Amino acid sequence: MSKETKDYSKYFNGSYKILSEDENAKKIRIPGRDVQIISEPSYKQEKQRGKEETQIIYEQAIPEEMKDFGRIGGQKYYHIQTYGCQMNEHDTETMAGMFEEMGFIRVEDRTKADVILFNTCAIRENAEDKVFGELGHMKTLKLEKPDLILGVCGCMSQEESVVNRILQKHAHVDIIFGTHNIHRLPNLLKEAYYSKEMVVEVWSKEGDIIENLPKKREGMKAWVNIMYGCDKFCTYCIVPYTRGKERSRLPQDVIAEVRELARQGYMELTLLGQNVNAYGKDLEDMDYGFGDLLDEIRSIGIPRVRFTTSHPRDFDDRLIEVLAKRGNLVEHIHLPVQSGNTEILKRMSRKYSREHYLELVRKIKAAIPDVVLTTDIIVGFPGETEEQFQDTLSLVEEVKYDFAFSFIYSPRAGTPAAEMEDNVPMAVKKERLQRLNDLLNRYSKEGNEALRGEIVEVLVEGESKNNPDVLAGRTRTNKLIHFTGDKALTGQLVYVRVLEPQTWVLKGELVETPMKTVAHG
Ligand code: 5AD
Ligand code: SF4
């Protein structure tokens, strides 16, 4: 954890003062605000690997004196706005769990909240722009409700440049904390509430594992972390800096959580990690990998088990062998490729070639012929030529993904790719994205079309967002399907015949009893 605090005076021309400094915190005065900096992010420290041992801390999350904090002086409400990936969604569930244990009640309307948290994403610039826009809007709310506590957490808080910008332009923020110290939320809340100072505590450590934090899950689907962090350091990606080193939870802790979720009746689990295929590599004296973990989870009574995200480099034969056993392991693999050109993959430091990736796809399809593959693709990486981009198109044609997330490359401060020369004009990047999306849509439509007339197993999620007369659900392969039925079916597995496959959604009709030929869908 960084105790060295930076010199912020250069941002505030004269109107900056150090009030006090000791080993616990530094207090500074900036225009309109006193700030308590307990620790702050450092790009330099976030790059380091292997110097710190991972500690597993079995935490009792809520300090005794905070257990009623949400009810002191009247009922208090919290609101968390979440950006980014499922890891963030799940962190939000943990923070919600902590708020509820402190006696707070969740509120959707943020103008009614006593505490608002922005759980942020740093993966691309537009994600950050959105948060800064929202923080700007919060100024008015803060003027109307001076006791409102406004917090920024998640990946953006781990960035030096973000903390600097908040200090300069958004001094109405009350708490900044990072991805490694979520469990410190109650303490930081207390500090900000009583001191009225802005409190900054961002640890740049490689990362520990905090067990036993409360979680407020919703619905019949649950996320379960199996590992944290990433050591891959793909040259475009900020995640290894914001989330720390790869560290696996112990198998017995994961299994205990999964058993408990099964006991509570959850219908679907998603195992989470930035690179789930590296699960177990850091567990000393244990020859135990992701395939072994899935093989154990397979025998636990939860109808569907998914996982995200895979890295092609660590996707081994043992894993394919276990996935081919199916059961509750669904026939859907999200396998980010990023580019179809070996030279670009090399410059991205993905550590596999086009051929290696295609060979892996071949092996997976041989073992699981009805598998649905989805992916992530970046276009316009620095220096990407038209020919190199065409390799991405031809790879998409070869694999025929059912769905893909496609992005224009976004430079991230502190990453190696941000230093690379980029001669691809934005107009060209946009045009490539359009061409790629046209192709991807074609295969999405084709993949759905193949299900016409088939009967698929569907987990009913509830009324469709746009039409309350229709139910929405997901197939085992995570395809969205709409059909007419009783709302009471929500949370159950049903069978639906696909009548009208479209690009983004399947439309079908409920069938009473499953037929002999059930497609996995
Ligand atoms: N620019 C564009 N896309 C990115 N991703 C990660 N970093 C960047 C970046 N700097 C994409 C990758 C990754 C997904 C989660 O986000 O495709 O798989
Ligand atoms: Fe980022 Fe690469 Fe790690 Fe994925 S594997 S989180 S893209 S560095």
Side-chain angles (χ1 to χ4, degrees), residues 86-101:
Q86 294 174 336
M87 193 66 81
N88 262 19
E89 299 270 357
H90 190 40
D91 284 349
T92 289
E93 292 182 338
T94 305
M95 291 189 285
M98 286 192 270
F99 273 117
E100 307 260 332
E101 288 207 355

Side-chain angles (χ1 to χ4, degrees), residues 108-122:
E108 285 313 311
D109 177 358
R110 63 191 188 190
T111 62
K112 303 222 160 62
D114 299 283
V115 182
I116 299 177
L117 286 187
F118 287 93
N119 188 6
T120 62
C121 169

Side-chain angles (χ1 to χ4, degrees), residues 500-516:
E500 215 187 305
Q502 301 178 348
T503 310
W504 307 118
V505 62
L506 306 167
K507 294 191 174 165
E509 66 178 5
L510 205 57
V511 289
E512 287 306 322
T513 39
M515 302 293 177
K516 250 195 341 219

Side-chain angles (χ1 to χ4, degrees), residues 261-278:
L261 292 169
R263 201 190 57 75
Q264 291 173 17
Y266 280 91
M267 299 295 284
E268 183 175 306
L269 282 192
T270 305
L271 306 176
L272 291 181
Q274 251 79 38
N275 173 12
V276 287
N277 309 84

Side-chain angles (χ1 to χ4, degrees), residues 123-124 236-238 309 336 338 350 376-378 405 407-412:
I123 201 106
R124 281 170 294 275
Y236 51 81
C237 187
I238 192 84
T309 271
Q338 314 299 358
R350 289 291 288 175
D376 294 345
I377 299 175
I378 297 176
F405 294 101
F407 311 103
I408 291 182
Y409 165 72
S410 168
R412 310 282 57 221

Side-chain angles (χ1 to χ4, degrees), residues 194-207:
Y194 290 114
S195 74
K196 305 285 176 214
E197 295 165 347
M198 183 199 294
V199 179
V200 182
E201 187 182 81
V202 181
W203 298 350
S204 299
K205 58 194 307 175
E206 295 179 30

